[in-house]
Amino acid sequence: MMKSPFSPRSQADSRVISVQKEDFDVAALYQALQQNPSSGAVVTFTGLVRDLNLGTAVNALFIEHYPGMTERALSDIVEQAKQRWPINDVAVVHRVGRLEVNQQIVFVGVNSAHRQAAFDACEFIMDYLKTSAPFWKKELSDQGEQWLEQRESDRVASKRWS
Amino acid sequence: MMKSPFSPRSQADSRVISVQKEDFDVAALYQALQQNPSSGAVVTFTGLVRDLNLGTAVNALFIEHYPGMTERALSDIVEQAKQRWPINDVAVVHRVGRLEVNQQIVFVGVNSAHRQAAFDACEFIMDYLKTSAPFWKKELSDQGEQWLEQRESDRVASKRWS
Amino acid sequence: MKINVRLFARLREQLGDSVQCECPEGATVAALTDQLASRGDNWAQLKSQEILCAVNQQQVSGEHRLADNDEVAFFPPVTGG
Amino acid sequence: MKINVRLFARLREQLGDSVQCECPEGATVAALTDQLASRGDNWAQLKSQEILCAVNQQQVSGEHRLADNDEVAFFPPVTGG
């Protein structure tokens, strides 16, 4: 059996928070979330590098973060989600460094007894991550390098939870 | 490379709809959804057999369906989702027959350029599946066998989209 | 005309998988339901508000007019997912 | 007191990774920002509304009072995910 990144199952519900250069394995992350017998629902979100952003053909992304503060911000967001919804295990993985088109950027996975809590918590974590975790994306295209601006739609999305 | 259940990538966006006795492989389903270069977001939902339902310790589920009508109802639901949101590929897999605790029941996966459409479409498909696809669950516990009743919360969830 | 009736879930367990009916030309689903309900106790539940009906695998209401060889299914509210 | 200033994303590219500052006892983040802004053109952007500030990895506002050896970070709105 594959080693679970969620430490002992008999203990309280687990949290995985990781900021890393390496790619992540959605299959292994899902498998760990699937193993909680009191969870009837697993919701996962995966963000990928798109080939096109606001009309620009993208070659790659570079993602910078603030080591230490980023992990702390992600923990805070997960903690808030656990206080708002009856969810069990949570995993948040975000990559940094250079990422090519189609590569995986971010994973958020949540399990819960019922589907609505799992969907809501997963969306909430993504919305807050987008506006309050210190990551910055630079887009590399044939037109050169460009730091991305925060989207108004992301600010709106995170405000709907408050 | 793993064979993708999504037939030729250069063609229009694909749909996978399957009603089956066999278990499904979330890793393979995810991998297919991840391969669309114009998708920046993949959302997946997996439903599992819980060990406890409304206070009863569950041993297993038996799921019955209406062959032919079920597949048609799932296609209709996916079609409606595609008309409402700018989503790309969609996969819906639902198992039938006897399922043990912790086993996978249903998978819904959606990809899209942006996360909100992927989240909304995935939730919509699950909400409609719960109220309009002809599947019936029987719960097997130490107290005997019992056909489940439709939940009021599921009726409410599906109404919020109309 | 000949109508093929199918039953699912608890209706199937109580009434059987399927039954063949003879209906007068132009009968509605409601008329077929009445005809089946008259078979006796357990069959009367087909008239319950909550029981759903599909003709040729499309959900219909009681006013739907049947045609020869239609497949008519009766079933309780669905509980998949 | 000694303050360690760190910069991220486009601020880092324009102003450098980090810089050490001397501040008077009890200085606020706003005072430190003014002091840095006075270094010249590119530094003035630290005073922009949209630039965020964290002290010891917690986001703070301009009134926050600094202590010796604090780590102060300035950065643009975040764009991860």
Side-chain angles (χ1 to χ4, degrees), chain A residues 33-114:
Chain A
L33 290 165
Q34 190 241 305
Q35 270 157 32
N36 189 325
S38 51
S39 287
V42 180
V43 173
T44 74
F45 172 85
T46 314
L48 309 169
V49 182
R50 279 193 306 142
D51 57 2
L52 202 75
N53 185 37
L54 303 172
T56 304
V58 176
N59 298 329
L61 283 184
F62 175 79
I63 304 182
E64 180 172 331
H65 78 301
Y66 183 172
M69 183 172 172
T70 306
E71 291 81 351
R72 187 185 290 199
L74 295 177
S75 294
D76 279 359
I77 295 167
V78 169
E79 210 40 60
Q80 282 182 60
K82 293 197 78 139
Q83 272 161 29
R84 292 176 75 136
W85 291 281
I87 55 177
N88 300 325
D89 308 298
V90 180
V92 179
V93 183
H94 201 299
R95 292 175 70 193
V96 293
R98 186 186 161 105
L99 301 180
E100 311 300 322
V101 167
N102 225 24
Q103 283 196 306
Q104 302 179 140
I105 304 169
V106 58
F107 175 89
V108 176
V110 177
N111 63 20
S112 175
H114 299 291

Side-chain angles (χ1 to χ4, degrees), chain D residues 27-36 47 53 61-64 66 74:
Chain D
T28 61
V29 162
L32 171 66
T33 310
D34 283 340
Q35 184 183 326
L36 289 164
K47 298 185 74 171
C53 181
S61 66
E63 301 92 72
H64 182 90
L66 297 169
F74 291 93

Side-chain angles (χ1 to χ4, degrees), chain B residues 64-69 72 94 105-106 126 129-138 147-150, chain C residues 6-10 12-13 50 52 54-59 71-73 75-81:
Chain B
E64 180 171 330
H65 78 303
Y66 183 173
M69 183 172 171
R72 188 186 288 197
H94 201 299
I105 304 170
V106 58
M126 272 309 299
L129 184 157
K130 285 251 174 194
T131 52
S132 66
F135 292 105
W136 300 274
K137 271 187 198 141
K138 188 197 261 183
W147 289 100
L148 294 182
E149 301 284 328
Q150 198 175 56
Chain C
R6 299 184 64 178
L7 302 156
F8 290 94
R10 65 173 162 80
R12 178 182 56 73
E13 285 186 340
E50 69 150 24
L52 303 170
V55 173
N56 301 328
Q57 309 191 351
Q58 299 273 21
Q59 234 180 275
E71 174 176 294
V72 179
F75 47 81
V78 307
T79 55

Side-chain angles (χ1 to χ4, degrees), chain D residues 5-19:
Chain D
V5 174
R6 299 184 63 178
L7 302 155
F8 290 94
R10 66 174 162 78
L11 297 182
R12 179 183 54 74
E13 286 187 340
Q14 293 168 15
L15 308 172
D17 283 25
S18 64
V19 58

